Amino acid sequence: MRLRRLLIRHITLPTTVHRFPNCTLRQTSCNGVRNGSRSYASVSAAELQFGQPLHETHPHLLKAGEVTPGISAVEYALRRSKLAARLPNNAIAIIAASDTKYRSGAVFYEFHQHPDFFYLTGFNEPEALAIIQKTGDDSTSPSGGEHIFHLFVRPKDSKAEQWEGARSGMQAAQDVFNADQVGNVNELEKFLPSAISNASEVYTDISGRNRGRTMFSKLFSGPPTKLEGFPKMVETASVKPLRPIMNELRVVKSADEIANMRLAGKASGRAFTLAMGQNFTKEKHLAAFLDYQFRMYGCDTNAYVPVVAGGDKALSIHYVRNDDVLRDGQLVLVDAGGEYGGYISDITRTWPINGKFSEPQRDLYEAILTVQRKCITLCSESADVTLDKLHNLAEEALKEQLTQLGFNLSGGAMETLFPHHVGHYIGLDVHDAPGYPRTSKLKAGQCVTIEPGLYIPNDERWPQHFRGIGIRIEDSVCVQSEGPLVLTTEAVKEVVDIEALSDR
């Protein structure tokens, strides 16, 4: 059974891995693809260097059998089988890794792997390509679609690695990441044309992903370099989008994915609660504190650029300058979260800078919290709701609350006061499974945000004592069969709890 072979291959790695020396023992065919003969001398895995942490080199980060934190080689293999099971016979799926992005000159941004590529491979280096080649009828395989997993990566290069750090290389692509066939990414043009021409259909999202979405970026980015011949290669092929299939796979999380998101949520929530009990005078100091605490509590990095908005800066939904002062008597809205093993948490809390809510602040805050609680209780498969239905329920409930507070809601007022959706899917992306419809019924295993908010402009249409206040309350929630699992519960949100923190 193919899956058993993959599992055994990974489990034997702690004892030995096989290294191809730079000599004729490397059995590489003329098209740059290596098949898996393993009759060579072995060395301890701990003595080797790879392009990302492994259990053998970083046992404090990964358990035996894991390719990335919390996710095993078996789960990655099952994901590829599930993808293959959704492909027609003899079709291929082509998924590209992210490339290194540069801030200016030789100064690069922190690398972030393309989520689809990461989901299927666990390989966390740039300049790589995965091909899932459907090879048999689904009924012949108990684990899903029979397939060949091709992985093209950068070869080991001592000079490049002296500057850029270790690469995993082609042999690790086989022994660690369980590729059936591996190749040098620099030799793709020798392999891709025949793979494409022999396929019944080609599923990919590469075209259109290489260049930016704005006219400015299209003007200055120039043509892609690594796959500039790809559009020509698929010119006569039957090409279909891979995104709908990947969305179906990614939107429902496994138990291990949920565990990773719970860990990220717990760490991030604790950091939020700790921040609420501190005294900050500048937005950037609060942002730096959270960044540090996310990592200290166990996250790898920030999940996204945080919003730290004091006073009326909170009226901008995605205010990320974080460069103003925090003033006594105002609120601060913080939208931030940590990331663990590639999986994100997404939290928003709003609290008084001086530790005590004024009466208008409390009234508006309690109104939003009441609506958020109601929406969270409906995050179950048995509730038979969609995200769009939850949004409509949230909007109606907010209307009721605002009417009681004296707001005139005529003339499309809610479009101004509550301009965003109440939630979105989360996972490897902050907005996970992009394009997956919010009109679909919530299913057990899906993870979403619930984030009602109100943003009261500084103009005469609104009650004076509420003007300039922006409040959002957001949690990450896992949908279960009969009830919600709040992934970020460590971030306190009750008024009494928030005010108690300032008394410590």
Side-chain angles (χ1 to χ4, degrees):
M1 178 180 172
R2 184 173 181 276
L3 182 58
R4 178 178 175 81
R5 175 172 62 82
L6 292 175
L7 176 59
I8 291 174
R9 184 192 300 174
H10 189 81
I11 288 177
T12 57
L13 182 58
T15 304
T16 59
V17 296
H18 304 280
R19 174 186 289 169
F20 279 95
N22 294 320
C23 64
T24 57
L25 289 179
R26 175 182 294 177
Q27 296 185 343
T28 304
S29 65
C30 62
N31 64 3
V33 178
R34 182 194 303 153
N35 294 313
S37 175
R38 286 177 169 74
S39 59
Y40 308 115
S42 299
V43 297
S44 167
E47 296 177 11
L48 299 181
Q49 292 187 337
F50 301 91
Q52 65 191 77
L54 304 178
H55 168 70
E56 294 73 30
T57 60
H58 293 69
H60 59 292
L61 297 180
L62 291 91
K63 299 176 183 176
E66 292 179 347
V67 175
T68 59
I71 308 297
S72 69
V74 175
E75 179 155 341
Y76 280 110
L78 286 172
R79 293 173 180 179
R80 294 189 291 269
S81 289
K82 288 178 180 179
L83 169 58
R86 286 167 168 79
L87 299 177
N89 287 339
N90 202 37
I92 60 174
I94 304 177
I95 310 97
S98 295
D99 207 349
T100 303
K101 294 180 173 59
Y102 289 87
R103 180 170 177 170
S104 63
V107 180
F108 49 83
Y109 288 103
E110 181 180 11
F111 179 72
H112 183 76
Q113 187 58 279
H114 189 275
D116 286 343
F117 185 87
F118 188 79
Y119 180 83
L120 293 169
T121 69
F123 189 77
N124 202 24
E125 296 180 41
E127 297 181 71
L129 190 85
I131 300 176
I132 309 300
Q133 178 185 358
K134 177 72 169 285
T135 58
D137 194 308
D138 299 343
S139 62
T140 64
S141 172
S143 62
E146 280 292 334
H147 66 279
I148 297 173
F149 170 34
H150 305 263
L151 185 57
F152 294 83
V153 302
R154 301 175 302 177
K156 298 290 286 183
D157 183 330
S158 58
K159 289 186 177 180
E161 291 177 67
Q162 183 179 14
W163 287 91
E164 302 168 0
R167 297 178 176 180
S168 293
M170 295 166 63
Q171 188 59 45
Q174 234 173 12
D175 288 331
V176 177
F177 299 95
N178 293 309
D180 298 301
Q181 293 189 355
V182 303
N184 184 337
V185 73
N186 298 311
E187 298 175 1
L188 269 175
E189 291 185 2
K190 299 177 183 179
F191 175 82
L192 272 178
S194 62
I196 292 169
S197 63
N198 292 329
S200 61
E201 292 178 309
V202 177
Y203 286 76
T204 188
D205 297 317
I206 290 177
S207 295
R209 209 190 83 199
N210 297 305
R211 303 178 72 180
R213 289 175 288 183
T214 66
M215 291 303 297
F216 179 88
S217 61
K218 290 177 181 178
L219 178 64
F220 290 101
S221 64
T225 55
K226 290 294 177 188
L227 293 175
E228 63 182 348
F230 186 75
K232 185 171 182 62
M233 293 178 194
V234 298
E235 187 176 14
T236 60
S238 174
V239 179
K240 295 187 175 180
L242 183 60
R243 168 59 44 218
I245 298 176
M246 292 304 303
N247 281 349
E248 291 288 342
L249 293 176
R250 285 176 49 187
V251 75
V252 176
K253 307 299 187 287
S254 70
D256 287 338
E257 289 182 288
I258 294 169
N260 273 6
M261 295 181 71
R262 177 68 183 110
L263 192 154
K266 182 185 296 186
S268 302
R270 288 175 175 171
F272 263 85
T273 296
L274 189 61
M276 291 182 203
Q278 311 296 313
N279 294 316
F280 295 99
T281 59
K282 295 181 180 178
E283 293 170 346
K284 66 179 181 181
H285 293 167
L286 175 49
F289 180 85
L290 283 172
D291 184 7
Y292 174 75
Q293 293 299 335
F294 289 160
R295 298 168 197 258
M296 290 301 294
Y297 277 118
C299 290
D300 302 322
T301 186
N302 277 318
Y304 50 93
V305 180
V307 173
V308 181
D312 62 5
K313 299 296 187 299
L315 302 182
S316 298
I317 310 301
H318 288 160
Y319 168 84
V320 293
R321 283 173 47 184
N322 305 338
D323 59 1
D324 209 340
V325 297
L326 298 173
R327 296 175 175 86
D328 183 44
Q330 293 184 337
L331 300 174
V332 59
L333 184 155
V334 179
D335 186 341
E339 176 183 306
Y340 175 76
Y343 291 86
I344 69 96
S345 64
D346 193 350
I347 304 173
T348 305
R349 292 292 185 265
T350 310
W351 67 89
I353 293 167
N354 64 13
K356 300 297 179 183
F357 287 90
S358 68
E359 186 173 346
Q361 291 169 350
R362 180 192 296 264
D363 288 343
L364 207 58
Y365 185 93
E366 291 281 16
I368 296 166
L369 184 58
T370 298
V371 174
Q372 201 227 16
R373 288 198 206 99
K374 179 178 180 180
C375 290
I376 288 178
T377 62
L378 294 173
C379 288
S380 66
E381 187 167 335
S382 62
D384 197 37
V385 298
T386 68
L387 275 178
D388 275 354
K389 184 174 181 179
L390 282 179
H391 177 79
N392 293 335
L393 290 171
E395 186 171 289
E396 289 303 313
L398 286 172
K399 283 182 181 179
E400 293 178 13
Q401 297 284 336
L402 289 170
T403 299
Q404 294 175 18
L405 294 175
F407 279 76
N408 177 0
L409 300 179
S410 62
M414 291 306 294
E415 294 180 7
T416 299
L417 301 177
F418 182 36
H420 58 78
H421 204 282
V422 77
H424 55 83
Y425 303 100
I426 53 174
L428 288 172
D429 276 322
V430 178
H431 287 255
D432 205 46
Y436 188 82
R438 288 177 169 134
T439 54
S440 297
K441 297 286 182 67
L442 292 179
K443 301 175 184 176
Q446 292 180 344
C447 296
V448 299
T449 64
I450 298 296
E451 48 180 308
L454 290 170
Y455 314 88
I456 318 302
N458 274 310
D459 64 56
E460 295 181 357
R461 178 177 178 180
W462 317 109
Q464 184 173 5
H465 45 288
F466 292 119
R467 294 175 196 167
I469 296 178
I471 299 173
R472 184 165 65 252
I473 307 172
E474 174 185 21
D475 281 290
S476 299
V477 182
C478 180
V479 178
Q480 298 184 306
S481 297
E482 297 297 332
L485 170 64
V486 180
L487 301 170
T488 50
T489 188
E490 283 76 13
V492 303
K493 58 185 177 182
E494 300 295 331
V495 167
V496 63
D497 294 327
I498 293 173
E499 293 189 338
L501 290 170
S502 67
D503 296 331
R504 292 187 303 179

